[in-house]
mmCIF file of all heavy atoms in Angstrom:
data_model
loop_
_atom_site.group_PDB
_atom_site.id
_atom_site.type_symbol
_atom_site.label_atom_id
_atom_site.label_comp_id
_atom_site.label_asym_id
_atom_site.label_seq_id
_atom_site.Cartn_x
_atom_site.Cartn_y
_atom_site.Cartn_z
ATOM 1 N N LEU Z 123 72.552 104.605 132.858
ATOM 2 C CA LEU Z 123 72.341 104.937 131.447
ATOM 3 C C LEU Z 123 73.623 104.646 130.678
ATOM 4 O O LEU Z 123 74.706 104.983 131.135
ATOM 5 C CB LEU Z 123 72.025 106.428 131.298
ATOM 6 C CG LEU Z 123 70.685 106.912 131.819
ATOM 7 C CD1 LEU Z 123 70.627 108.430 131.748
ATOM 8 C CD2 LEU Z 123 69.550 106.304 131.021
ATOM 9 N N MET Z 124 73.492 104.024 129.539
ATOM 10 C CA MET Z 124 74.674 103.718 128.739
ATOM 11 C C MET Z 124 74.504 104.277 127.329
ATOM 12 O O MET Z 124 73.390 104.312 126.808
ATOM 13 C CB MET Z 124 74.893 102.210 128.667
ATOM 14 C CG MET Z 124 75.208 101.613 130.025
ATOM 15 S SD MET Z 124 75.747 99.921 129.950
ATOM 16 C CE MET Z 124 75.536 99.462 131.681
ATOM 17 N N VAL Z 125 75.607 104.705 126.732
ATOM 18 C CA VAL Z 125 75.562 105.216 125.364
ATOM 19 C C VAL Z 125 76.365 104.291 124.448
ATOM 20 O O VAL Z 125 75.823 103.582 123.617
ATOM 21 C CB VAL Z 125 76.058 106.671 125.281
ATOM 22 C CG1 VAL Z 125 76.058 107.150 123.837
ATOM 23 C CG2 VAL Z 125 75.171 107.583 126.132
ATOM 24 N N ASP Z 126 77.695 104.257 124.617
ATOM 25 C CA ASP Z 126 78.479 103.412 123.709
ATOM 26 C C ASP Z 126 78.692 102.000 124.249
ATOM 27 O O ASP Z 126 78.914 101.071 123.482
ATOM 28 C CB ASP Z 126 79.825 104.070 123.363
ATOM 29 C CG ASP Z 126 80.741 104.191 124.574
ATOM 30 O OD1 ASP Z 126 80.277 103.927 125.699
ATOM 31 O OD2 ASP Z 126 81.919 104.543 124.379
ATOM 32 N N GLY Z 127 78.639 101.852 125.566
ATOM 33 C CA GLY Z 127 78.814 100.514 126.135
ATOM 34 C C GLY Z 127 80.214 99.948 125.974
ATOM 35 O O GLY Z 127 80.423 98.749 126.098
ATOM 36 N N THR Z 128 81.192 100.819 125.706
ATOM 37 C CA THR Z 128 82.567 100.317 125.516
ATOM 38 C C THR Z 128 83.570 101.001 126.453
ATOM 39 O O THR Z 128 84.777 100.837 126.286
ATOM 40 C CB THR Z 128 83.045 100.557 124.064
ATOM 41 O OG1 THR Z 128 83.103 101.981 123.845
ATOM 42 C CG2 THR Z 128 82.132 99.914 123.052
ATOM 43 N N GLY Z 129 83.066 101.810 127.394
ATOM 44 C CA GLY Z 129 83.980 102.455 128.328
ATOM 45 C C GLY Z 129 84.598 103.738 127.807
ATOM 46 O O GLY Z 129 85.566 104.241 128.369
ATOM 47 N N MET Z 130 84.069 104.285 126.710
ATOM 48 C CA MET Z 130 84.685 105.495 126.143
ATOM 49 C C MET Z 130 83.882 106.770 126.404
ATOM 50 O O MET Z 130 84.458 107.835 126.548
ATOM 51 C CB MET Z 130 84.900 105.315 124.645
ATOM 52 C CG MET Z 130 85.900 104.226 124.363
ATOM 53 S SD MET Z 130 86.705 104.390 122.786
ATOM 54 C CE MET Z 130 85.388 104.166 121.669
ATOM 55 N N CYS Z 131 82.551 106.691 126.451
ATOM 56 C CA CYS Z 131 81.764 107.930 126.535
ATOM 57 C C CYS Z 131 81.614 108.449 127.971
ATOM 58 O O CYS Z 131 81.426 109.631 128.195
ATOM 59 C CB CYS Z 131 80.387 107.735 125.905
ATOM 60 S SG CYS Z 131 79.278 106.704 126.882
ATOM 61 N N GLY Z 132 81.650 107.587 128.941
ATOM 62 C CA GLY Z 132 81.531 108.009 130.335
ATOM 63 C C GLY Z 132 80.105 108.191 130.825
ATOM 64 O O GLY Z 132 79.889 108.579 131.976
ATOM 65 N N ALA Z 133 79.125 107.922 129.973
ATOM 66 C CA ALA Z 133 77.727 108.131 130.371
ATOM 67 C C ALA Z 133 77.330 107.276 131.578
ATOM 68 O O ALA Z 133 76.524 107.679 132.398
ATOM 69 C CB ALA Z 133 76.799 107.821 129.194
ATOM 70 N N CYS Z 134 77.917 106.094 131.665
ATOM 71 C CA CYS Z 134 77.470 105.139 132.681
ATOM 72 C C CYS Z 134 78.263 105.236 133.976
ATOM 73 O O CYS Z 134 78.192 104.337 134.802
ATOM 74 C CB CYS Z 134 77.594 103.729 132.117
ATOM 75 S SG CYS Z 134 79.328 103.273 131.854
ATOM 76 N N PHE Z 144 83.144 102.718 135.476
ATOM 77 C CA PHE Z 144 82.232 102.659 134.332
ATOM 78 C C PHE Z 144 81.415 101.378 134.413
ATOM 79 O O PHE Z 144 81.976 100.277 134.356
ATOM 80 C CB PHE Z 144 83.012 102.730 133.016
ATOM 81 C CG PHE Z 144 83.588 104.087 132.715
ATOM 82 C CD1 PHE Z 144 84.351 104.309 131.592
ATOM 83 C CD2 PHE Z 144 83.359 105.162 133.568
ATOM 84 C CE1 PHE Z 144 84.885 105.571 131.310
ATOM 85 C CE2 PHE Z 144 83.875 106.420 133.304
ATOM 86 C CZ PHE Z 144 84.650 106.628 132.174
ATOM 87 N N THR Z 145 80.103 101.561 134.518
ATOM 88 C CA THR Z 145 79.235 100.398 134.706
ATOM 89 C C THR Z 145 79.339 99.401 133.558
ATOM 90 O O THR Z 145 79.306 98.197 133.766
ATOM 91 C CB THR Z 145 77.767 100.861 134.833
ATOM 92 O OG1 THR Z 145 77.715 101.887 135.821
ATOM 93 C CG2 THR Z 145 76.864 99.729 135.260
ATOM 94 N N CYS Z 146 79.486 99.923 132.321
ATOM 95 C CA CYS Z 146 79.432 99.019 131.157
ATOM 96 C C CYS Z 146 80.611 98.072 131.089
ATOM 97 O O CYS Z 146 80.446 96.919 130.717
ATOM 98 C CB CYS Z 146 79.304 99.820 129.863
ATOM 99 S SG CYS Z 146 80.742 100.819 129.446
HETATM 100 FE FE1 FES U 22 79.841 104.759 127.646
HETATM 101 FE FE2 FES U 22 79.906 103.065 129.631
HETATM 102 S S1 FES U 22 78.285 103.480 128.293
HETATM 103 S S2 FES U 22 81.437 104.441 129.046
#
Side-chain angles (χ1 to χ4, degrees):
L123 290 173
M124 295 190 196
V125 177
D126 66 351
T128 64
M130 295 204 295
C131 72
C134 67
F144 288 178
T145 309
C146 67

